[in-house]
Amino acid sequence: MSTEKNFNIELLSVEDIRIQNASINSPQHSTAPGDSEFDINISLKPGINIDQKKMLLVFVCEALSKSRDAQSSMEASCKFEIAYIFHVKNLKDLITEQEDHVQVDDELATSVVNIAYSTSRGIIFTRCQGTVFNRLILPVTSTKELTKMLK
């Protein structure tokens, strides 16, 4: 009889989403030019509480807008920090505790990262409407690249 630990998506739920920071800094009276390009930096900050069966993932996105127009020196920035709290009913079965960290099941990590990234894309897009960042859409990114950010 096998005691293999399998991830079950039905045992994962999003318990809370908290927007910790949603700031946009742009020059006064700036408009949203159609010729802006964006430099986007994304990071993920994980946390875990094994006893409460909870995982935390803070999604951080910082973007810089630069006009392509040589006549304009408009530069704006934005920063979003969105915290996701997940409840995993069988979390203890899906982790391996090591000396200085906890190893989480790959399928669980992948699911949590994908949920946070895609939800953040929508939140950030809607929050940026009517601003210089109204064309900011987070790029489609591979799950492999996202999970690398956790390590």
Side-chain angles (χ1 to χ4, degrees):
M1 192 159 112
S2 175
T3 59
E4 186 177 321
K5 302 170 186 175
N6 289 323
F7 172 69
N8 180 347
I9 194 74
E10 294 174 8
L11 300 178
L12 172 67
S13 62
V14 180
E15 190 170 279
D16 198 3
I17 301 172
R18 298 178 185 165
I19 299 173
Q20 297 177 323
N21 184 3
S23 59
I24 297 175
N25 301 310
S26 62
Q28 195 170 15
H29 308 298
S30 66
T31 58
D35 64 346
S36 288
E37 52 186 40
F38 305 109
D39 290 326
I40 303 170
N41 291 309
I42 295 166
S43 62
L44 300 170
K45 300 176 187 175
I48 193 164
N49 184 318
I50 300 166
D51 294 332
Q52 293 182 9
K53 302 177 183 177
K54 294 186 187 203
M55 293 180 64
L56 169 71
L57 188 61
V58 179
F59 179 88
V60 180
C61 173
E62 297 177 278
L64 185 66
S65 170
K66 293 185 177 180
S67 177
R68 289 185 224 162
D69 182 1
Q71 303 289 327
S72 172
S73 63
M74 188 197 77
E75 189 174 284
S77 64
C78 68
K79 182 174 183 178
F80 294 90
E81 290 183 36
I82 306 167
Y84 295 86
I85 299 172
F86 297 92
H87 183 262
V88 187
K89 289 182 182 175
N90 64 335
L91 182 60
K92 290 181 183 179
D93 295 336
L94 299 171
I95 60 164
T96 305
E97 294 184 67
Q98 299 177 353
E99 286 181 26
D100 58 343
H101 70 282
V102 174
Q103 182 70 36
V104 176
D105 175 83
D106 287 343
E107 286 184 65
L108 173 59
T110 297
S111 295
V112 166
V113 166
N114 282 331
I115 291 166
Y117 190 81
S118 60
T119 303
S120 296
R121 179 185 288 121
I123 290 170
I124 292 169
F125 179 77
T126 57
R127 289 284 179 119
C128 289
Q129 294 306 292
T131 75
V132 70
F133 290 98
N134 70 342
R135 291 181 49 247
L136 176 65
I137 300 174
L138 298 183
V140 173
T141 304
S142 74
T143 299
K144 186 177 180 178
E145 290 301 313
L146 290 172
T147 55
K148 278 185 190 177
M149 291 183 209
L150 293 175
K151 299 180 179 178

